[in-house]
Amino acid sequence: MSAKSHLHPSDLRAASRLAVDAIVGLTDLVEAMHHNIGSRSAPLGKPARGTTRGITGFAYRTVRGVTRMVGGGIDAALAPLVALLGTRDSTSARDAVVAALNGVLGDYLADTRNPLAISMQWHSRGQPLTTDRVALAKAFPAATGKVLVLVHGLCMGDQQWLREGHDHGAALARDLGHTPVYLRYNSGLHISANAREMTAMLEVLVASWPVPIEELSILTHSMGGLVARSACHYAKLASHRWPAKLRSLVFLGVPHHGAPLERGGHWVDTILGVSPYTAPFMRLGKIRSAGITDLRFGDLRDEDWQGHEQNKRSKAAKHGLPLPAEIRCFAIAATTGRKQGDLNDRMLGDGLVPIASALGQHANPELDLAIPANRQWVGYEMNHMELLSSAQAYAHIRTWLTH
């Protein structure tokens, strides 16, 4: 049996690259502060342009150069060691850490080809699946014609559907005969980028399923619901066949109209930018992945973010995207309040997503998702993560998928 370890050989190489990048980034920040202070900028207004010069500039350039040189040497030295030690089975603890890191820095990890960047894969029982008919038949010897795809949220992974001993996918397999397949993806990438890859992978999965598919259902949590909605959109543009099998789409705490927490981060950036003396710290505030900034207003399509600076997108850039008319869609929201409209509900919602956003409700008819009242449910005195283990939430999911 293969060894299991929280630390993989490739993690050392990945961590060294991140450390080098962090030192270079910190050097840039300190130099920007030094330059702004030395230029005697006014307390308010735009920072002075340019960088430090003379001996000071030479010192900063030397720090960056030496750091990159040392980092390159470490990377070259670790490469044969990683090849020699090979790969190991991952643990759920390591997977959770890597998933969280990808949620925050996933686009950067992918762009720099860092070994910690997650590649989109189908999983079952924590193990990756090969999507050809023979391999799927071996992985699912009791496969049914009712396929359930589960799509996790930001900074999470496929194994985190299991919470407090309960997994909606496993429970639906037991109670309704669904065969659950879990999607693992890099939640730091743009929602639309993940959606386009998901729709292509669904096309292959459905075509390769070992038994005829009677119905396909998708169960989503948080950002996963936005990825699934976007995937339906791109599947239609690509004339994919899998949507013809899709019967139900269930949303758990999905920020259809955005998450206030990300908008709060954007305002912090704005405030820091008021003074040239605090402006360099905006670089720290902007260390948010493309996936996180997409959550500001729930952006689902390429055109929602293309042509807009990542941290300066406005509500005006938001485009409406109706739910697929032929699919039964269901929405579950949560709130820490005892009732809708009380202090906890107004201030916290479920901790991340307000009720109206989770239910797809919007004052603008073009953005309102118009989910029927009998396909909605609100859980009170419940937070965002408890939607994954709530017996009440599961009862509604089971009833909806039964009928």
Side-chain angles (χ1 to χ4, degrees), residues 194-259:
N194 276 321
R196 280 187 270 105
E197 188 171 2
M198 177 183 168
T199 185
M201 289 181 57
L202 267 172
E203 189 77 348
V204 175
L205 180 73
V206 169
S208 304
W209 197 248
V211 299
I213 293 180
E214 303 163 18
E215 62 180 76
L216 171 67
S217 302
I218 302 179
L219 175 60
T220 69
H221 178 242
S222 197
M223 176 191 276
L226 301 182
V227 174
R229 281 182 60 196
S230 184
C232 290
H233 168 69
Y234 285 108
K236 185 176 181 180
L237 293 182
S239 299
H240 283 165
R241 297 180 180 182
W242 68 262
K245 301 289 185 180
L246 183 60
R247 298 291 179 267
S248 302
L249 187 53
V250 182
F251 304 113
L252 303 180
V254 174
H256 294 290
H257 302 304

